[in-house]
Amino acid sequence: MTNFSPGTFAPAPGRGRLSRMLIAQARIEFVLTLRNGEQVLLTLLIPLGILIGFTLLNVVPVPSPRVDNITPRVLALAVMSTAFTGQAIALGFDRRYGVLKRLAATALPRWSLVAGRMLAVLGVVVVQLVVLGSVAAGLGWHPHPAGLAPAASLILAGTAAFGALGVLLGGALRAEVVLAVANMVWLLLVVAGGIVLSVHALPRPLSTIAAVLPSGALAEGLHTTLAQGVTPWGALGVLLAWAAGAGLLAARTLRLS
Amino acid sequence: MTLPAPLAAVEVRGLVRSFGTVRAVDGLDLRVPPATVLALLGPNGAGKTTTVEVCEGFLRPDTGVVRVLGLDPIADSAALRPRVGVMPQGGGAYPGVRAAEMLSLVAVCAARPLDVGWLLDVLGLTGVARVPYKRLSGGQQQRLALACALVGRPEVVFLDEPTAGMDPQARRLVWDIVSRLRADGVSVLFTTHLMEEAEALADQVVIIDHGRVVAQGSPAELTSDGTQRQLRFGARAGLDLGALCTALPAGCQASEPRPGGYLVEGAIDPQVVATVTAWCAQQGVFAEDLRVSRRSLEDVFLELTGRELRP
Ligand SMILES: Nc1ncnc2c1ncn2[C@@H]1O[C@H](COP(=O)(O)OP(=O)(O)OP(=O)(O)O)[C@@H](O)[C@H]1O
Ligand SMILES: [Mg+2]
């Protein structure tokens, strides 16, 4: 009665290799991000536009050399866009589409549902750094050599902090709500969170708040270290605190669907 | 010395699960013996998906015991998941992912997966292997979800409405696959709204309503209610059934459920058939396609769950 030969579906269950599973999941999510037009706009085109536009056009007063002042802020914007906004929105819709349930039904351990996403985010951040860094260099960017290693740690910590916040938002609410909130928060942080305007340029109560927001900490930290080559321990501490706090909370609130 | 009873593939006892004030599952028992197929039937909202999701470890039972391959779906999740195949009711892939990419990802999670290319081919997905999930047709999405459930060579498979939205060819293919799964020793629990499907595939049918079992047994057991049978025939629409009803023995009823389609229900015996044909002769009509049958599973289902539409 059946067209399949005996034994076709004979059970042979087992868990795949953890490293292969994790990399396969991260690779797919990385590729999907770069294939998605809106994500590319958010993570690459907008930061590129700001970098090039603000460097070449004298529309806002920026101390010169302009590119040295603009690049650290654009890098902070890029990290925030990918790890927080893009990731929260993708997570919200993936939950809607039953992706998390699908993966949770495989041998993939639960923690790797999030770990795989973080790896993918990190991959996108590396692409952003390469693209934005090259363009900035072309525009005459001269980062302080001693600041490169601290900047890398800041970017890692910033990715962790924004990533945890992205999972917190995208893992708890309905997809449409996630979309609205993620975009609103992005805009708020860009304008008033220490990204476009320096924390010191913001009016009094806002400047105090922005300094301890992950956006302000990352932008100011990158700015300091890439200009002066010193390690901004305070900013690093702020970012790690956000990563830990949001991560712990997100682990409790993450829902599969 | 007696052999221990074989461990059930799925064992559910006294399962209760509520959502707010809705008792989606309300004291449910079921058991899927190894290498058998159980069909879970029930109207919309009866609690089928809830039951299946509890078995899959996605929902925590309020009370009751659930064991899959002897393991607790939540507490023993890590040990159990590689041994279980899951096809959810809709969804289960990134919107932008290509069919082949998704299946490969699920395959990587298994130690000895089926060949991805072969499985895509068997399910007729080779032509759309590079098409993003959100652009697949409903039936193609279903087939991909089925492939994901099977690719890890599981011992137990949960299929939530596997043939919903599939064309007749794809449905036959799924039936073929389920038959092969059972023959190869895989236990299957599936839900469906198609009585024909349950009759064709299931060793055991469980009908639930309002989260409770209202009937269970093999398809033959459920439809073989003693002497109750049906006689159907076609004739000119609008015949006056008055004389026939008087001539029929007590307990037999005649009706015309659709114009020109007549139905006599009750303890149909050769005498009743003679009465019906004699009445047709009197009316001067042919009884076309006259046939006597046992109650269908659908009749049993409608009898047990009523005819009103569910919210
Ligand atoms: N997450 C949820 N939140 C609230 N109510 C729910 C939830 N899931 C299911 N329900 C309710 O529980 C009941 C059973 O739903 P379930 O999905 O198990 O039904 P079903 O038998 O699978 O129906 P269908 O044939 O339509 O798929 C319904 O009344 C439904 O509205
Ligand atoms: Mg359902």
Side-chain angles (χ1 to χ4, degrees):
Chain A
M1 118 151 228
T2 150
N3 296 318
F4 295 98
S5 48
T8 304
F9 298 114
R15 183 192 322 272
R17 271 229 316 282
L18 182 60
S19 56
R20 285 191 64 206
M21 294 194 263
L22 198 58
I23 288 169
Q25 186 206 343
R27 197 192 67 84
I28 285 228
E29 294 185 2
F30 171 77
V31 169
L32 288 176
T33 307
L34 296 187
R35 224 186 258 162
N36 181 318
E38 286 150 44
Q39 294 270 17
V40 171
L41 179 72
L42 178 73
T43 56
L44 274 175
L45 299 184
I46 292 178
L48 260 181
I50 293 179
L51 173 64
I52 298 172
F54 279 39
T55 302
L56 298 183
L57 306 175
N58 201 353
V59 279
V60 273
V62 175
S64 63
R66 293 177 69 87
V67 70
D68 284 355
N69 284 290
I70 289 165
T71 304
R73 302 192 172 281
V74 167
L75 295 180
L77 170 70
V79 168
M80 176 174 87
S81 302
T82 297
F84 174 70
T85 314
Q87 133 116 310
I89 294 170
L91 178 55
F93 282 96
D94 286 353
R95 281 170 53 229
R96 153 80 52 85
Y97 272 78
V99 175
L100 275 83
K101 265 193 183 171
R102 167 73 272 161
L103 295 179
T106 67
L108 210 62
R110 281 291 158 94
W111 57 262
S112 75
L113 293 181
V114 172
R117 300 192 88 86
M118 287 298 166
L119 270 182
V121 163
L122 217 53
V124 177
V125 168
V126 168
V127 171
Q128 291 175 305
L129 291 179
V130 169
V131 172
L132 296 169
S134 317
V135 171
L139 293 169
W141 178 42
H142 284 292
H144 196 298
L148 291 178
S153 338
L154 276 170
I155 284 174
L156 264 181
T159 304
F162 279 117
L165 287 165
V167 172
L168 182 62
L169 173 60
L173 303 176
R174 274 206 349 260
E176 291 77 16
V177 181
V178 172
L179 182 68
V181 174
N183 282 318
M184 208 172 61
V185 171
W186 181 85
L187 200 61
L188 270 177
L189 291 183
V190 167
V191 175
I195 295 241
V196 161
L197 290 176
S198 156
V199 163
H200 313 295
L202 292 170
R204 192 64 181 94
L206 212 54
S207 61
T208 326
I209 298 171
V212 292
L213 289 178
S215 49
L218 182 57
E220 290 314 316
L222 284 174
H223 183 261
T224 311
T225 191
L226 289 171
Q228 299 159 22
V230 296
T231 303
W233 293 109
L236 206 54
V238 168
L239 291 173
L240 290 176
W242 276 99
L248 285 176
L249 205 56
R252 290 164 180 275
T253 55
L254 176 67
R255 290 194 313 202
L256 295 181
S257 60
Chain B
M1 200 183 105
T2 55
L3 289 168
L7 194 63
V10 181
E11 174 106 54
V12 174
R13 266 175 282 129
L15 173 64
V16 176
R17 170 69 209 218
S18 304
F19 297 102
T21 55
V22 181
R23 279 206 158 197
V25 179
D26 192 8
L28 189 99
D29 299 297
L30 56 84
R31 187 183 147 86
V32 185
T36 65
V37 176
L38 183 145
L40 194 56
L41 304 185
N44 290 143
K48 301 182 295 297
T49 297
T50 307
T51 303
V52 170
E53 293 207 334
V54 170
C55 294
E56 292 164 350
F58 289 136
L59 290 173
R60 197 175 283 282
D62 296 342
T63 58
V65 178
V66 177
R67 292 287 176 271
V68 177
L69 295 167
L71 299 172
D72 181 323
I74 293 179
D76 307 319
S77 158
L80 191 53
R81 276 183 285 125
R83 303 171 65 186
V84 173
V86 168
M87 174 178 179
Q89 182 176 12
Y94 302 92
V97 78
R98 293 172 182 152
E101 289 173 335
M102 191 65 212
L103 186 56
S104 302
L105 174 59
V106 178
V108 163
C109 299
R112 289 167 290 274
L114 295 171
D115 185 76
V116 168
W118 174 82
L119 196 52
L120 287 172
D121 195 39
V122 161
L123 286 165
L125 292 170
T126 307
V128 293
R130 294 179 56 79
V131 173
Y133 179 78
K134 60 171 180 257
R135 290 218 301 270
L136 294 176
S137 76
Q140 290 166 342
Q141 293 181 343
Q142 287 283 92
R143 281 183 263 157
L144 178 61
L146 177 64
C148 290
L150 301 180
V151 72
R153 296 180 186 259
E155 293 167 67
V156 181
V157 176
F158 295 102
L159 309 173
D160 200 352
E161 299 198 21
T163 58
M166 282 190 185
D167 61 31
Q169 291 85 343
R171 204 179 308 140
R172 296 283 153 179
L173 175 67
V174 173
W175 294 9
D176 217 15
I177 288 174
V178 171
S179 306
R180 186 71 256 164
L181 285 167
R182 174 180 43 192
D184 284 343
V186 180
S187 316
V188 180
L189 193 167
F190 75 99
T191 73
T192 183
H193 291 293
L194 300 177
M195 304 297 145
E196 192 196 352
E197 186 163 286
E199 277 186 294
L201 294 181
D203 299 297
Q204 199 192 159
V205 173
V206 174
I207 302 179
I208 66 172
D209 197 9
H210 304 296
R212 296 199 194 111
V213 175
V214 291
Q216 60 182 316
S218 69
E221 284 163 3
L222 283 175
T223 53
S224 72
D225 179 13
T227 56
Q228 295 297 304
R229 289 197 163 77
Q230 298 178 328
L231 183 157
R232 290 173 193 275
F233 62 95
R236 199 175 68 232
L239 293 174
D240 179 11
L241 292 169
L244 178 57
C245 285
T246 343
L248 287 171
C252 277
Q253 278 134 23
S255 61
E256 188 182 355
R258 58 180 180 81
Y262 293 87
L263 169 67
V264 180
E265 285 178 297
I268 312 281
D269 57 19
Q271 190 53 52
V272 170
V273 180
T275 308
V276 171
T277 48
W279 174 79
C280 286
Q282 267 168 25
Q283 304 282 323
V285 296
F286 265 121
E288 289 171 350
D289 296 329
L290 183 133
R291 107 190 123 84
V292 178
S293 56
R294 287 203 310 219
R295 297 190 310 166
S296 69
L297 193 52
E298 183 144 347
D299 297 321
V300 176
F301 183 86
L302 289 172
E303 198 172 285
L304 289 167
T305 59
R307 286 178 185 270
E308 319 91 71
L309 206 58
R310 297 309 162 101

